[in-house]
Amino acid sequence: RTVRLRRKFTSYLSLSLLFISMVGILTNKLPGDLGLTGLDAEPGHPAGDYPNIIILGGDGLSASYLTAYGFELKTTPFLSELVQTSLVAENAFPNASSTTGSTTSVLTGKEPIAARVFRYPDILSGKDSFEHLPGILRKHGFQTVEIGTPHYVDARRLNLLEGFDIVNNRSMNSPAVDMLRTALGNSPSAHFLETMTDRVGERLLHILFIKQMQNPLAQVYDPAARISDDQRVDQIITLLDHADRPVFIFAHLMGTHGPDFSVQKEVFSGGSSVNPDWDQRRYLDAILSFDGHVKKIYDHLAETGKLDHTILIIYTDHGFKYTINQRIPIIIHFPQNAYAGTRQNNVQTIDIPVTLLDYLGIPLPEWMTGTSLLDGEPPADREILGTTTGSPNEIAPPFYQINIFQVIICHRWYALNVREKIFASGTIRGHTAKCDEDLLPAEELVHQSILEYLKKFGYNVSSLE
């Protein structure tokens, strides 16, 4: 009897998913349609006179390889010009080593440990699903669009709700998904069924010869299989040209993603490498290509008269080879070159959404924990918190996804490897604002503060004490 009941349940679930998937296919726009029309502002929230906002991320950019940050080779000729009229963080750092964790921090203004998103396939849950920058901007009349990578930079897979109108060329308006949410709310069951609906839908599209199924790993690691950065830039330009109200675009370019890099022109590599994995010469060429993409967007803004009505932010998710203790670029170009200058003291990626809301005059929610860069220099001895993660098969209690918990203070990094129970520290290469030694805390105090922070978020640190 039990076996029969299980078979019935499985059959009903399969039929339900098939039905919901068919509804989704018939009522939702097919991938590839940007859906630029019919995206009206929410009732009661006029768009006002806000500028466009473009957050443009390049994957794995270490500042030490950029001409704009002092590198001797001309890898970023355009960014070297852009920094002259922009707000530039000289010593900026990411809050997570993985793309999913880091981009989530930028979108939410929360540290990974607070949002509980460290790496794919972690998802937002509960109130965290609704606490984010795109949701705030959408309520103020912005058209919100994410141009990333399926699965890894994808608000739908992240369970980021009521934030984006379009995610990776797909409209977030789906009667099938709305029906699930109405019935189940923001629960793990709802997200599971939504994910299964997507997967069934992908297979149906494949079976019906409408759309070829994609391998998510190939989209990240194989330059030949993924959407090109040229296509992403063209999408950004199309959105800018067709939007009838302020647009918020969160885009993540992949040419600089290792271990194999995408390049437009071989300037530094001088031909193909025998072993292309993490080839630093090809990495430099990929950075040069990224610089060209930024220039193309900037030039289009200038030519169409939108430059002085657009905020353009350049940043990255982590450093070369997923490092979080190396400087990364954060460059913010405001309309009329406002706030041009540098911030020497330490900055982190979760400062980006706070700075944007400050500029727009939108009240800052209490759950955003960054610092506005419009208020001058952040405190010299502020603590920048970050996490690295291991491979998915290493996830286990008591620390689950966390591999290393790091604190940066001034020009020093302190890291506790919670798996191997090793505490280490070092000096950040190329840091341009070293503190007096008397501002630096004793290592024992940093170690203890890390343990207290982990305990604050419910982790059992008895094995580390």
Side-chain angles (χ1 to χ4, degrees):
R1 180 188 176 95
T2 302
V3 173
R4 286 200 303 271
L5 287 174
R6 286 177 179 173
R7 286 176 178 172
K8 280 187 177 181
F9 174 78
T10 302
S11 299
Y12 290 147
L13 178 61
S14 300
L15 288 172
S16 298
L17 289 173
L18 179 62
F19 171 75
I20 294 171
S21 299
M22 290 301 297
V23 172
I25 291 173
L26 294 173
T27 60
N28 203 0
K29 294 181 183 295
L30 289 175
D33 183 352
L34 282 172
L36 296 173
T37 60
L39 297 175
D40 297 326
E42 290 192 4
H45 296 283
D49 193 31
Y50 294 122
N52 300 311
I53 300 172
I54 304 172
I55 299 181
L56 189 62
D59 198 283
L61 293 176
S62 288
S64 57
Y65 291 96
L66 311 184
T67 320
Y69 280 80
F71 188 56
E72 63 272 15
L73 300 178
K74 292 185 178 180
T75 55
T76 57
F78 176 70
L79 289 182
S80 298
E81 297 177 8
L82 184 64
V83 295
Q84 304 303 316
T85 56
S86 304
L87 177 60
V88 182
E90 288 285 344
N91 301 287
F93 303 93
N95 296 103
S97 64
S98 76
T99 298
T100 300
S102 187
T103 54
T104 300
S105 292
V106 177
L107 288 171
T108 62
K110 298 180 181 182
E111 294 153 359
I113 198 170
R116 297 286 181 162
V117 175
F118 299 97
R119 61 168 300 143
Y120 177 83
D122 293 344
I123 65 169
L124 296 169
S125 60
K127 65 179 182 179
D128 290 320
S129 293
F130 302 94
E131 295 179 345
H132 41 69
L133 177 66
I136 294 173
L137 297 179
R138 190 165 178 256
K139 288 181 179 178
H140 281 79
F142 280 78
Q143 177 183 329
T144 55
V145 181
E146 182 178 50
I147 302 173
T149 301
H151 300 273
Y152 296 94
V153 185
D154 191 307
R156 296 167 65 255
R157 300 299 174 124
L158 181 63
N159 200 35
L160 188 150
L161 304 176
E162 298 181 7
F164 286 104
D165 297 308
I166 302 170
V167 174
N168 293 332
N169 290 342
R170 295 183 65 180
S171 171
M172 289 289 282
N173 298 321
S174 170
V177 173
D178 291 344
M179 182 171 61
L180 282 175
R181 293 289 176 193
T182 300
L184 300 176
N186 182 30
S187 65
S189 298
H191 185 264
F192 169 76
L193 288 175
E194 181 180 349
T195 301
M196 291 302 296
T197 299
D198 279 347
R199 292 180 178 177
V200 173
E202 288 173 358
R203 282 159 177 76
L204 284 172
L205 290 170
H206 179 79
I207 293 170
L208 297 173
F209 302 101
I210 296 174
K211 181 177 181 291
Q212 189 73 22
M213 285 186 64
Q214 295 179 338
N215 180 343
L217 288 176
Q219 284 286 311
V220 174
Y221 293 104
D222 183 1
R226 63 193 179 212
I227 299 171
S228 72
D229 286 345
D230 282 319
Q231 291 173 296
R232 292 186 173 93
V233 170
D234 287 343
Q235 288 179 9
I236 292 171
I237 289 174
T238 299
L239 285 162
L240 290 168
D241 287 346
H242 288 81
D244 57 359
R245 63 181 188 273
V247 59
F248 169 67
I249 302 173
F250 184 79
H252 191 79
L253 305 192
M254 293 293 292
T256 50
H257 187 287
D260 193 5
F261 306 104
S262 299
V263 303
Q264 291 181 313
K265 185 178 181 181
E266 293 175 339
V267 175
F268 303 106
S269 55
S272 58
S273 172
V274 176
N275 180 16
D277 286 359
W278 300 111
D279 186 326
Q280 291 194 23
R281 295 171 302 169
R282 286 186 61 81
Y283 178 57
L284 299 181
D285 279 334
I287 293 173
L288 182 61
S289 297
F290 174 78
D291 186 77
H293 294 314
V294 179
K295 184 178 188 302
K296 183 176 180 179
I297 294 170
Y298 182 95
D299 288 347
H300 184 79
L301 289 169
E303 291 165 3
T304 56
K306 293 183 173 69
L307 183 61
D308 282 336
H309 203 65
T310 300
I311 303 171
L312 177 61
I313 300 175
I314 310 302
Y315 94 107
T316 188
D317 52 353
H318 49 71
F320 185 64
K321 290 189 175 181
Y322 310 104
T323 55
I324 61 172
N325 61 359
Q326 293 182 15
R327 297 183 305 141
I328 63 168
I330 292 182
I331 302 168
I332 308 177
H333 186 272
F334 290 103
Q336 287 84 41
N337 303 334
Y339 297 99
T342 61
R343 296 291 179 266
Q344 292 293 330
N345 292 340
N346 290 344
V347 168
Q348 56 189 336
T349 51
I350 62 172
D351 294 336
I352 292 174
V354 177
T355 301
L356 284 172
L357 293 183
D358 188 13
Y359 179 86
L360 298 174
I362 296 175
L364 184 69
E366 55 86 20
W367 41 263
M368 278 192 181
T369 55
T371 297
S372 173
L373 303 183
L374 305 187
D375 299 331
E377 289 284 0
D381 59 348
R382 73 184 301 206
E383 295 183 351
I384 306 295
L385 308 180
T387 55
T388 70
T389 55
S391 63
N393 58 14
E394 294 176 336
I395 296 175
F399 301 107
Y400 301 94
Q401 293 93 330
I402 299 176
N403 184 22
I404 295 174
F405 192 88
Q406 175 186 273
V407 179
I408 292 176
I409 304 174
C410 296
H411 58 282
R412 298 281 295 177
W413 58 263
Y414 309 83
L416 176 61
N417 188 317
V418 297
R419 298 180 191 272
E420 299 178 7
K421 302 178 179 59
I422 297 174
F423 183 81
S425 65
T427 300
I428 295 167
R429 179 164 56 96
H431 201 284
T432 63
K434 293 185 177 181
C435 295
D436 293 334
E437 291 298 320
D438 58 2
L439 278 178
L440 296 174
E443 290 193 359
E444 294 80 9
L445 292 178
V446 177
H447 184 274
Q448 187 59 38
S449 69
I450 291 175
L451 296 182
E452 292 298 325
Y453 193 77
L454 290 170
K455 283 197 289 187
K456 173 184 173 182
F457 285 95
Y459 290 93
N460 182 350
V461 300
S462 58
S463 62
L464 302 175
E465 293 178 321

